[in-house]
Amino acid sequence: MKTYHNFIGIDIGKFNFAVAVYNNKETREFENNPEGIAKFFECYNSKLRESLCVLETTGGYEIELLVALCNNNISVHRASTRKVKNFIRSFGNDAKTDILDAKALALYGAERKDKLQLFVPKTTNDIELYQLAMRKQDLIKMLIAEKTRLQGPNVEFTKASCKFMIDAISDQIKLIANQISSLIEGNMDLNSKKETLKTISGVGDNSASQLLILLPELGTLNRKQIASLTGLAPRSNDSGTYRGYRSIMNGRDNIKPILFMVAMAARRSKSEFKIFYEKLISRGKKKMVALTALMRKIIVIANAKIRDLISQSKVVEI
């Protein structure tokens, strides 16, 4: 296990980023652009090599600095915003500034260094696929909104505009879907994983692509970890003799809707999933509870299939 001598917290903003070092009162701010990043490396050059840098996910504004740190072989962890916020709240501190957040991130790194996973930069292909997948999801939301407007009252004078937008958005969705398919088909590893996922009942071409892009950890985690990552692991709610209702929460954005549609298709198929779903219903489970259990079962199986595929690939290489 690597030993760190410094812990550097970096709070990223759209235009600037604040930097703080654990147990050091000195803080600095830099512009969030190539020139600012270069100045950051110049100022902290002596500390960075033996440091763990911690920063939050901030809608993509952190990517340029993340890649720069990785390219210079600097250890960096991209922290979950929810976890960091809860960490800060545990100290009872309600004040918020960029400098305070940077100091909190440095402290977070110092206290949890042994449990933090280092960030591994994605390839250009991965970044392109991710951006296309997110754009497709945005367009689908826009399409649903336009279709809802078209079905609403008092649309006599806007009907033509709604129909035009629906056609235009639909064309863009098809275009992006074709781009995604071409990129995956051009990558032997991704294509084999996609075909493996499609062997699961309910998983089609689109859902297989989305899962691969938005859940790159598939095949690298155990069943409990993948269920937790997707927000499908039941959370205990017990105290003393009280046994509360188990519920699911959190999880990576945009994954549950995909698995929900997969589960809806799987419960109608002539497969083990239909039997599993109907057995839960016969035992008195609510339909949504049964569907959630089915979603969890599907992602666990998907994870196992990809894990086995990766193992087979390694054996072939040897």
Side-chain angles (χ1 to χ4, degrees), residues 286-299:
K286 296 178 181 178
K287 290 184 179 180
M288 195 61 233
V289 173
L291 266 177
T292 301
L294 183 54
M295 290 162 63
R296 182 166 58 250
K297 185 178 181 70
I298 288 170
I299 197 61

Side-chain angles (χ1 to χ4, degrees), residues 200-203 259-278 291 294-295 298:
I200 303 172
S201 295
V203 179
L259 290 174
F260 178 80
M261 297 307 295
V262 169
M264 289 288 284
R267 72 170 185 171
R268 301 188 189 98
S269 64
K270 296 179 181 179
S271 67
E272 60 174 303
F273 295 135
K274 181 179 181 181
I275 298 171
F276 175 78
Y277 175 81
E278 291 179 345
L291 266 177
L294 183 54
M295 290 162 63
I298 288 170

Side-chain angles (χ1 to χ4, degrees), residues 90-103:
S90 69
F91 294 97
N93 185 5
D94 295 328
K96 185 187 186 316
T97 67
D98 293 344
I99 294 297
L100 287 175
D101 286 348
K103 288 182 177 180

Side-chain angles (χ1 to χ4, degrees), residues 13-26:
K14 182 176 181 179
F15 303 108
N16 300 286
F17 62 90
V19 180
V21 180
Y22 176 64
N23 276 343
N24 189 325
K25 293 183 179 181
E26 181 185 4

Side-chain angles (χ1 to χ4, degrees), residues 35-304:
E35 292 76 19
I37 291 172
K39 287 182 180 179
F40 162 70
F41 276 99
E42 183 180 338
C43 291
Y44 289 91
N45 184 54
S46 60
K47 291 185 171 69
L48 283 172
R49 294 296 172 190
E50 300 174 331
S51 298
L52 171 64
C53 295
V54 181
L55 45 78
E56 287 181 277
T57 303
T58 53
Y61 294 117
E62 78 282 2
I63 294 297
E64 191 170 0
L65 179 56
L66 265 175
V67 173
L69 288 166
C70 292
N71 287 342
N72 285 275
N73 297 316
I74 308 300
S75 298
V76 57
H77 170 72
R78 182 163 63 171
S80 163
T81 301
R82 176 176 57 85
K83 290 181 179 179
V84 172
K85 282 184 178 179
N86 289 334
F87 176 78
I88 295 172
R89 286 175 184 149
S90 69
F91 294 97
N93 185 5
D94 295 328
K96 185 187 186 316
T97 67
D98 293 344
I99 294 297
L100 287 175
D101 286 348
K103 288 182 177 180
L105 286 166
L107 177 60
Y108 182 82
E111 292 195 1
R112 306 195 177 187
K113 57 184 180 297
D114 297 332
K115 297 181 180 180
L116 299 182
Q117 185 175 7
L118 298 183
F119 175 79
V120 178
K122 295 182 178 181
T123 64
T124 303
N125 190 59
D126 292 335
I127 294 171
E128 185 176 357
L129 279 169
Y130 179 78
Q131 290 181 355
L132 287 171
M134 296 306 295
R135 178 57 179 165
K136 184 182 176 184
Q137 290 194 351
D138 289 341
L139 287 170
I140 289 173
K141 292 176 183 177
M142 293 165 62
L143 181 62
I144 293 171
E146 286 299 319
K147 287 183 175 180
T148 301
R149 292 187 187 100
L150 185 62
Q151 299 299 320
N154 304 318
V155 292
E156 180 182 355
F157 301 109
T158 59
K159 184 178 292 186
S161 176
C162 287
K163 287 183 177 179
F164 175 82
M165 290 301 297
I166 288 171
D167 291 339
I169 294 170
S170 297
D171 288 341
Q172 283 297 306
I173 290 174
K174 290 177 183 177
L175 178 64
I176 289 178
N178 289 335
Q179 288 179 278
I180 290 173
S181 294
S182 297
L183 286 169
I184 291 178
E185 288 171 6
N187 186 306
M188 189 180 298
D189 180 48
L190 285 177
N191 195 49
S192 61
K193 288 181 180 179
K194 179 179 177 179
E195 293 304 317
T196 298
L197 289 177
K198 286 168 66 177
T199 63
I200 303 172
S201 295
V203 179
D205 192 84
N206 177 60
S207 53
S209 298
Q210 293 289 96
L211 287 173
L212 278 177
I213 297 168
L214 301 177
L215 202 60
E217 294 87 353
L218 270 176
T220 64
L221 306 175
N222 61 41
R223 57 186 295 130
K224 291 183 178 179
Q225 289 172 329
I226 198 68
S228 179
L229 181 60
T230 53
L232 293 170
R235 305 298 177 96
S236 300
N237 183 26
D238 302 337
S239 180
T241 58
Y242 172 77
R243 294 294 178 268
Y245 184 79
R246 265 58 175 166
S247 61
I248 61 171
M249 61 187 297
N250 301 324
R252 181 165 297 169
D253 291 342
N254 307 312
I255 299 297
K256 284 180 189 173
I258 300 169
L259 290 174
F260 178 80
M261 297 307 295
V262 169
M264 289 288 284
R267 72 170 185 171
R268 301 188 189 98
S269 64
K270 296 179 181 179
S271 67
E272 60 174 303
F273 295 135
K274 181 179 181 181
I275 298 171
F276 175 78
Y277 175 81
E278 291 179 345
K279 187 180 291 184
L280 290 175
I281 295 297
S282 66
R283 286 163 48 188
K285 299 293 184 183
K286 296 178 181 178
K287 290 184 179 180
M288 195 61 233
V289 173
L291 266 177
T292 301
L294 183 54
M295 290 162 63
R296 182 166 58 250
K297 185 178 181 70
I298 288 170
I299 197 61
V300 166
I301 291 175
N303 184 65

